Amino acid sequence: MTGSSLPRMIVKRLLISVLVLLVVSLLVFGATLLLPGDPARAILGQQATPERVAALSEQLGLDAPAPQRYLEWLGGILTGDLGFSAATQGPVADLLAGRLVASGLLLVLTALVSTPIALALGAWAAVRRGSRTDSALSGSSLVLAALPEFVIGVLLVVLLATSVFQVLPSVTLARPGEPVWSRPEQLVLPVVTLALVVIPYVVRMTRATLSETLDAGFVEMAQLKGLPERTVLVRHAVPHTIGPVAQVLALQLAWLAGGVVVVEFLFRYPGIGQALIDAVSNRDVQVVQAITMIIAAFYVLVNLAADVAGMLADPRIRHSTSGGGA
């Protein structure tokens, strides 16, 4: 493997990501074409005259051939023009700006809470394989992994917001236009719900990968040399587990972009998930297209970052790159 292999691999992953997003854009645009209803009539209302509907269709380019409409829509996506909402009759970008910030805050808080907890629990279970601690963590993660996010959310509402303790709000209390972080208590249940969905998978993957690494020959050799257990774990075992664990962690964090839809609906959280549900109900095609592409782009970018992090952390790739040849 030559020293230039790592940049080539990164460029290859980047090109694949661009291709995936292009395919997703084709699927999203094609699917919205199959939706019933006329976007122009949805904007003007059912009482609009055929002449007004025809004029608006011409203004929006809805009477153009589908390939031309797709290219114009894709060009708008690339330049930040997401079109106009049929519900608000305003720019989609203005509609989603605040909601993207709210959902982004939810995802960042979930990642900050779940990542260190999951990695620590997974490593602890791997180091204590076969112990009661390992069995308890494995059993708990298996049970949590089997529960859908809405079940976990409902259980938390029952436990902490209604019947038992009543210490947290069961739904978002922020008024329209008020930042969600102005009332931190309303973020607790959505964040905990999403974290409890992500943590079990990362715990199980971290345990499995680290356990396999601890049984490898190079780790046993380091132990035979008399190195402290912490040194063996940090310098020899952990670097070889970062790649696979990063992949699973990225998949789970990327899943949050889709799973947040259910959680936001459950807690009436004013993010893109709630906006997507409202847009589907109102047949607001431009909003559905924009949110779907945003979620897809987030998913692809997170996986791309995980691929790059895994390659940079892989000692074999790193050493071959720094060595200049093999």
Side-chain angles (χ1 to χ4, degrees):
M1 186 179 293
T2 64
S4 61
S5 61
L6 181 59
R8 283 204 308 267
M9 293 171 66
I10 293 176
V11 170
K12 181 180 178 181
R13 295 292 196 281
L14 180 60
L15 293 176
I16 292 174
S17 299
V18 173
L19 179 61
V20 169
L21 284 176
L22 183 61
V23 172
V24 170
S25 70
L26 284 167
L27 294 175
V28 169
F29 186 82
T32 52
L33 287 179
L34 301 177
L35 292 176
D38 184 353
R41 185 168 291 279
I43 294 175
L44 296 174
Q46 295 300 320
Q47 305 302 321
T49 63
E51 292 76 14
R52 291 188 61 195
V53 172
L56 183 58
S57 295
E58 182 179 359
Q59 178 183 346
L60 298 177
L62 298 177
D63 56 346
Q68 179 182 341
R69 291 170 57 189
Y70 167 74
L71 292 176
E72 292 176 351
W73 170 72
L74 183 61
I77 292 290
L78 295 177
T79 58
D81 181 7
L82 304 180
F84 284 84
S85 166
T88 64
Q89 299 187 22
V92 174
D94 294 345
L95 172 66
L96 297 183
R99 292 179 177 270
L100 281 172
V101 173
S103 292
L105 176 64
L106 199 60
L107 297 180
V108 169
L109 290 176
T110 301
L112 291 176
V113 170
S114 61
T115 300
I117 293 176
L119 295 178
L121 291 178
W124 190 18
V127 173
R128 297 178 175 271
R129 285 174 292 173
S131 67
R132 292 182 178 179
T133 299
D134 180 27
S135 300
L137 287 174
S138 298
S140 301
S141 62
L142 186 62
V143 171
L144 283 174
L147 295 177
E149 58 270 21
F150 69 88
V151 173
I152 295 176
V154 169
L155 291 176
L156 289 176
V157 168
V158 172
L159 179 63
L160 299 175
T162 55
S163 302
V164 183
F165 294 108
Q166 300 183 21
V167 293
L168 294 168
S170 59
V171 295
T172 303
L173 302 176
R175 302 181 183 90
E178 181 182 16
V180 290
W181 55 84
S182 62
R183 302 188 183 189
E185 68 276 8
Q186 66 189 359
L187 297 170
V188 175
L189 287 182
V191 169
V192 173
T193 299
L194 291 171
L196 288 177
V197 176
V198 171
I199 287 175
Y201 296 96
V202 182
V203 168
R204 294 175 65 82
M205 186 61 184
T206 303
R207 181 198 179 282
T209 305
L210 188 55
S211 296
E212 182 179 351
T213 304
L214 291 173
D215 292 334
F218 65 89
V219 173
E220 294 180 358
M221 183 64 67
Q223 293 171 335
L224 292 174
K225 290 181 179 179
L227 296 176
E229 182 178 355
R230 179 185 293 272
T231 301
V232 173
L233 184 65
V234 174
R235 293 185 57 184
H236 297 275
V238 170
H240 285 79
T241 65
I242 290 178
V245 171
Q247 291 284 348
V248 173
L249 182 60
L251 285 174
Q252 293 306 308
L253 295 180
W255 167 89
L256 291 177
V260 76
V261 174
V262 176
V263 173
E264 288 185 359
F265 177 75
L266 177 63
F267 293 103
R268 299 297 186 269
Y269 188 84
I272 61 171
Q274 186 65 46
L276 179 60
I277 293 174
D278 294 340
V280 172
S281 301
N282 297 328
R283 302 186 185 279
D284 200 342
V285 175
Q286 295 284 354
V287 176
V288 173
Q289 289 176 333
I291 295 177
T292 305
M293 287 304 301
I294 289 171
I295 292 175
F298 177 82
Y299 191 95
V300 170
L301 289 176
V302 169
N303 279 279
L304 175 62
D307 286 341
V308 174
M311 288 186 288
L312 293 176
D314 191 332
R316 294 167 297 181
I317 298 178
R318 190 171 63 247
H319 292 161
S320 64
T321 302
S322 61

